[in-house]
Amino acid sequence: DAGVTQSPTHLIKTRGQQVTLRCSPKSGHDTVSWYQQALGQGPQFIFQYYEEEERQRGNFPDRFSGHQFPNYSSELNVNALLLGDSALYLCASSETGLAEETQYFGPGTRLLVL
Amino acid sequence: AQTVTQSQPEMSVQEAETVTLSCTYDTSESDYYLFWYKQPPSRQMILVIRQEAYKQQNATENRFSVNFQKAAKSFSLKISDSQLGDAAMYFCAYRSSATQGGSEKLVFGKGTKLTVNP
């Protein structure tokens, strides 16, 4: 049973560029959440996708956008990159409808903005 | 808004000993879930243990157990017989109960770095 996978593992961009990160959920999961983890901090919720729609959003600017595909995989897009966007981006998947709805995380994508 | 506080930035323990990591949270909700996640240097966030707020019995998973004090809004993690592989960042997290129609996002604390000494 494949767990949550993310690509790429590492990425280096320059300010002003755009980046796309990808996530495939755990088998049987239909919901994908994205988190940003700055160095030395706990993860911060960016947004969550279910049924190909953004269901919930954290306190992040519109430069952060996403998409969910019919196979439940998801993309996170960040436009006009800032130095402060450098972080570990974590994807988590879960199954909506379960009371416990535990989120399982992927290995993350480390983004460095120069 | 819910908040999670981990007051111990770093902790250390001798191999085979027991260590307790602290977590407190603030919420006005009555039903919710609490989690401990482990993040080793490999970065992957791994679920350690989960507690449902409506259950009075403390959750246990092998060497890991929690002390859940709902009235005090406290949720500590006890690791028994510590092993070198337990060394990692440990994050406490809160999630509203989806059955209440509330937020399903995870709210994390800042983490506690656990060092295990041989």
Side-chain angles (χ1 to χ4, degrees):
Chain A
D1 179 22
V4 181
T5 60
Q6 291 186 244
S7 64
T9 56
H10 294 83
L11 205 51
I12 300 175
K13 292 286 187 178
T14 57
R15 281 178 295 174
Q17 285 189 313
Q18 178 264 344
V19 67
T20 297
L21 310 181
R22 296 176 176 83
C23 171
S24 291
K26 183 179 169 66
S27 178
H29 286 182
D30 56 9
T31 302
V32 173
S33 303
W34 287 92
Y35 294 83
Q36 180 195 65
Q37 186 179 16
L39 198 62
Q41 300 294 317
Q44 297 289 317
F45 175 74
I46 302 174
F47 44 52
Q48 183 179 86
Y49 277 85
Y50 171 66
E51 292 189 336
E52 301 181 48
E53 292 191 358
E54 183 181 291
R55 180 160 72 174
Q56 192 175 13
R57 189 179 184 92
N59 188 25
F60 279 80
D62 292 344
R63 298 187 297 109
F64 289 77
S65 63
H67 188 77
Q68 186 179 35
F69 299 94
N71 67 354
Y72 307 121
S73 67
S74 177
E75 289 182 349
L76 164 66
N77 300 292
V78 186
N79 295 321
L81 284 167
L82 303 174
L83 295 179
D85 295 332
S86 296
L88 178 67
Y89 288 85
L90 296 167
C91 165
S93 74
S94 56
E95 182 179 349
T96 291
L98 293 181
E100 68 271 17
E101 205 176 305
T102 297
Q103 294 185 19
Y104 294 89
F105 285 81
T109 294
R110 173 76 66 188
L111 172 64
L112 177 61
V113 182
L114 301 177
Chain B
Q2 295 83 20
T3 59
V4 176
T5 302
Q6 293 180 250
S7 59
Q8 306 155 316
E10 296 188 28
M11 292 282 285
S12 64
V13 63
Q14 291 297 124
E15 196 174 3
E17 298 291 305
T18 296
V19 65
T20 299
L21 307 183
S22 300
C23 172
T24 58
Y25 59 94
D26 187 30
T27 184
S28 59
E29 298 174 334
S30 60
D31 195 14
Y32 47 87
Y33 293 86
L34 296 165
F35 304 84
W36 279 98
Y37 282 90
K38 167 187 176 181
Q39 189 177 41
S42 66
R43 309 178 325 205
Q44 181 127 22
M45 196 78 75
I46 302 165
L47 177 66
V48 174
I49 201 165
R50 177 184 63 225
Q51 174 77 44
E52 292 89 341
Y54 63 86
K55 290 186 177 179
Q56 293 187 343
Q57 185 175 5
N58 290 324
T60 299
E61 289 287 342
N62 300 315
R63 298 183 294 105
F64 299 87
S65 61
V66 298
N67 183 5
F68 173 49
Q69 301 289 328
K70 191 172 184 179
K73 297 180 182 176
S74 171
F75 182 60
S76 60
L77 174 70
K78 186 172 81 170
I79 306 174
S80 304
D81 185 25
S82 296
Q83 301 175 359
L84 295 177
D86 294 334
M89 285 292 293
Y90 285 81
F91 291 95
C92 178
Y94 172 103
R95 184 179 72 76
S96 298
S97 170
T99 58
Q100 290 183 339
S103 163
E104 296 100 345
K105 68 180 180 183
L106 288 170
V107 178
F108 286 88
K110 291 188 175 182
T112 296
K113 181 180 180 181
L114 178 65
T115 301
V116 181
N117 301 310

Short mmCIF file of all heavy atoms in Angstrom, two decimals, chain B residues 23-44:
data_model
loop_
_atom_site.label_atom_id
_atom_site.label_comp_id
_atom_site.label_asym_id
_atom_site.label_seq_id
_atom_site.Cartn_x
_atom_site.Cartn_y
_atom_site.Cartn_z
N CYS B 23 2.28 19.24 26.34
CA CYS B 23 1.49 19.97 25.34
C CYS B 23 0.24 20.50 26.02
O CYS B 23 -0.44 19.77 26.75
CB CYS B 23 1.10 19.04 24.19
SG CYS B 23 -0.06 19.75 22.99
N THR B 24 -0.05 21.76 25.80
CA THR B 24 -1.32 22.34 26.24
C THR B 24 -1.99 22.97 25.04
O THR B 24 -1.34 23.32 24.05
CB THR B 24 -1.13 23.38 27.35
OG1 THR B 24 -0.28 24.42 26.86
CG2 THR B 24 -0.53 22.76 28.59
N TYR B 25 -3.31 23.11 25.11
CA TYR B 25 -4.05 23.66 23.99
C TYR B 25 -5.18 24.52 24.50
O TYR B 25 -5.57 24.42 25.67
CB TYR B 25 -4.56 22.54 23.08
CG TYR B 25 -5.45 21.55 23.80
CD1 TYR B 25 -6.83 21.69 23.79
CD2 TYR B 25 -4.90 20.48 24.51
CE1 TYR B 25 -7.64 20.80 24.47
CE2 TYR B 25 -5.70 19.60 25.19
CZ TYR B 25 -7.07 19.75 25.18
OH TYR B 25 -7.86 18.87 25.86
N ASP B 26 -5.68 25.35 23.61
CA ASP B 26 -6.78 26.22 23.98
C ASP B 26 -7.89 26.05 22.95
O ASP B 26 -7.65 26.17 21.75
CB ASP B 26 -6.31 27.68 24.02
CG ASP B 26 -7.39 28.60 24.56
OD1 ASP B 26 -8.21 28.14 25.38
OD2 ASP B 26 -7.41 29.78 24.17
N THR B 27 -9.09 25.78 23.43
CA THR B 27 -10.23 25.62 22.54
C THR B 27 -11.51 25.83 23.33
O THR B 27 -11.55 25.63 24.55
CB THR B 27 -10.25 24.21 21.91
OG1 THR B 27 -11.33 24.12 20.98
CG2 THR B 27 -10.41 23.13 22.97
N SER B 28 -12.56 26.22 22.62
CA SER B 28 -13.87 26.33 23.24
C SER B 28 -14.77 25.17 22.82
O SER B 28 -15.92 25.09 23.25
CB SER B 28 -14.53 27.66 22.83
OG SER B 28 -14.65 27.73 21.43
N GLU B 29 -14.24 24.29 22.00
CA GLU B 29 -15.00 23.15 21.51
C GLU B 29 -14.98 22.03 22.55
O GLU B 29 -14.07 21.93 23.37
CB GLU B 29 -14.44 22.66 20.18
CG GLU B 29 -14.52 23.71 19.08
CD GLU B 29 -13.82 23.27 17.81
OE1 GLU B 29 -12.90 22.44 17.87
OE2 GLU B 29 -14.23 23.77 16.73
N SER B 30 -16.00 21.19 22.47
CA SER B 30 -16.09 20.07 23.41
C SER B 30 -15.65 18.75 22.79
O SER B 30 -15.28 17.83 23.49
CB SER B 30 -17.53 19.94 23.93
OG SER B 30 -18.41 19.71 22.84
N ASP B 31 -15.69 18.69 21.48
CA ASP B 31 -15.31 17.45 20.80
C ASP B 31 -14.21 17.76 19.79
O ASP B 31 -14.37 18.66 18.95
CB ASP B 31 -16.54 16.84 20.09
CG ASP B 31 -16.29 15.40 19.71
OD1 ASP B 31 -15.32 14.81 20.20
OD2 ASP B 31 -17.06 14.88 18.89
N TYR B 32 -13.13 17.02 19.88
CA TYR B 32 -11.99 17.28 19.01
C TYR B 32 -11.04 16.09 19.10
O TYR B 32 -11.29 15.13 19.83
CB TYR B 32 -11.26 18.58 19.43
CG TYR B 32 -11.01 18.68 20.91
CD1 TYR B 32 -9.87 18.13 21.50
CD2 TYR B 32 -11.92 19.35 21.74
CE1 TYR B 32 -9.64 18.22 22.87
CE2 TYR B 32 -11.71 19.44 23.11
CZ TYR B 32 -10.58 18.89 23.67
OH TYR B 32 -10.37 18.98 25.02
N TYR B 33 -9.97 16.15 18.32
CA TYR B 33 -8.96 15.11 18.33
C TYR B 33 -7.60 15.75 18.61
O TYR B 33 -7.33 16.88 18.21
CB TYR B 33 -8.90 14.40 16.97
CG TYR B 33 -10.15 13.60 16.67
CD1 TYR B 33 -11.26 14.20 16.07
CD2 TYR B 33 -10.23 12.26 16.98
CE1 TYR B 33 -12.40 13.48 15.80
CE2 TYR B 33 -11.37 11.52 16.70
CZ TYR B 33 -12.45 12.14 16.12
OH TYR B 33 -13.58 11.42 15.84
N LEU B 34 -6.77 15.00 19.28
CA LEU B 34 -5.40 15.42 19.55
C LEU B 34 -4.44 14.36 19.03
O LEU B 34 -4.74 13.17 19.07
CB LEU B 34 -5.20 15.62 21.06
CG LEU B 34 -6.03 16.73 21.68
CD1 LEU B 34 -6.03 16.60 23.19
CD2 LEU B 34 -5.51 18.09 21.25
N PHE B 35 -3.31 14.83 18.54
CA PHE B 35 -2.34 13.94 17.92
C PHE B 35 -0.92 14.28 18.40
O PHE B 35 -0.62 15.43 18.71
CB PHE B 35 -2.35 14.09 16.39
CG PHE B 35 -3.69 13.87 15.75
CD1 PHE B 35 -4.62 14.90 15.68
CD2 PHE B 35 -4.02 12.64 15.20
CE1 PHE B 35 -5.86 14.71 15.08
CE2 PHE B 35 -5.26 12.44 14.60
CZ PHE B 35 -6.17 13.48 14.54
N TRP B 36 -0.09 13.27 18.40
CA TRP B 36 1.34 13.48 18.45
C TRP B 36 1.93 12.92 17.17
O TRP B 36 1.68 11.77 16.80
CB TRP B 36 1.96 12.76 19.66
CG TRP B 36 1.83 13.52 20.94
CD1 TRP B 36 0.89 13.34 21.92
CD2 TRP B 36 2.68 14.59 21.39
NE1 TRP B 36 1.10 14.23 22.95
CE2 TRP B 36 2.18 15.00 22.66
CE3 TRP B 36 3.80 15.22 20.87
CZ2 TRP B 36 2.78 16.02 23.38
CZ3 TRP B 36 4.39 16.23 21.60
CH2 TRP B 36 3.88 16.62 22.85
N TYR B 37 2.73 13.78 16.51
CA TYR B 37 3.45 13.37 15.32
C TYR B 37 4.94 13.44 15.62
O TYR B 37 5.41 14.30 16.35
CB TYR B 37 3.14 14.30 14.14
CG TYR B 37 1.82 14.05 13.45
CD1 TYR B 37 0.66 14.71 13.87
CD2 TYR B 37 1.73 13.18 12.36
CE1 TYR B 37 -0.55 14.50 13.22
CE2 TYR B 37 0.52 12.98 11.71
CZ TYR B 37 -0.61 13.64 12.14
OH TYR B 37 -1.81 13.44 11.50
N LYS B 38 5.68 12.54 14.97
CA LYS B 38 7.14 12.50 15.09
C LYS B 38 7.73 12.87 13.74
O LYS B 38 7.27 12.39 12.70
CB LYS B 38 7.56 11.08 15.47
CG LYS B 38 9.01 10.75 15.34
CD LYS B 38 9.23 9.26 15.61
CE LYS B 38 10.67 8.85 15.41
NZ LYS B 38 10.87 7.40 15.64
N GLN B 39 8.74 13.76 13.74
CA GLN B 39 9.40 14.14 12.50
C GLN B 39 10.90 13.94 12.66
O GLN B 39 11.60 14.78 13.20
CB GLN B 39 9.10 15.60 12.14
CG GLN B 39 9.59 16.00 10.76
CD GLN B 39 9.21 17.42 10.39
OE1 GLN B 39 9.28 18.32 11.22
NE2 GLN B 39 8.80 17.64 9.14
N PRO B 40 11.42 12.81 12.17
CA PRO B 40 12.86 12.57 12.23
C PRO B 40 13.58 13.44 11.21
O PRO B 40 12.93 14.13 10.43
CB PRO B 40 12.98 11.08 11.88
CG PRO B 40 11.74 10.76 11.11
CD PRO B 40 10.67 11.69 11.59
N PRO B 41 14.91 13.42 11.20
CA PRO B 41 15.65 14.24 10.23
C PRO B 41 15.28 13.96 8.78
O PRO B 41 15.48 14.80 7.92
CB PRO B 41 17.11 13.86 10.53
CG PRO B 41 17.10 13.49 11.96
CD PRO B 41 15.78 12.80 12.19
N SER B 42 14.71 12.81 8.51
CA SER B 42 14.27 12.50 7.15
C SER B 42 13.09 13.37 6.73
O SER B 42 12.69 13.37 5.56
CB SER B 42 13.87 11.03 7.05
OG SER B 42 12.71 10.77 7.84
N ARG B 43 12.50 14.11 7.66
CA ARG B 43 11.44 15.10 7.43
C ARG B 43 10.02 14.53 7.41
O ARG B 43 9.07 15.28 7.54
CB ARG B 43 11.65 15.90 6.14
CG ARG B 43 12.98 16.51 5.95
CD ARG B 43 13.13 17.22 4.62
NE ARG B 43 12.42 16.60 3.54
CZ ARG B 43 12.77 16.75 2.26
NH1 ARG B 43 13.81 17.47 1.95
NH2 ARG B 43 12.06 16.16 1.32
N GLN B 44 9.86 13.25 7.19
CA GLN B 44 8.52 12.70 7.08
C GLN B 44 7.81 12.76 8.42
O GLN B 44 8.32 12.26 9.42
CB GLN B 44 8.55 11.26 6.58
CG GLN B 44 7.18 10.65 6.42
CD GLN B 44 6.97 10.05 5.05
OE1 GLN B 44 7.91 9.72 4.35
NE2 GLN B 44 5.72 9.90 4.65
#
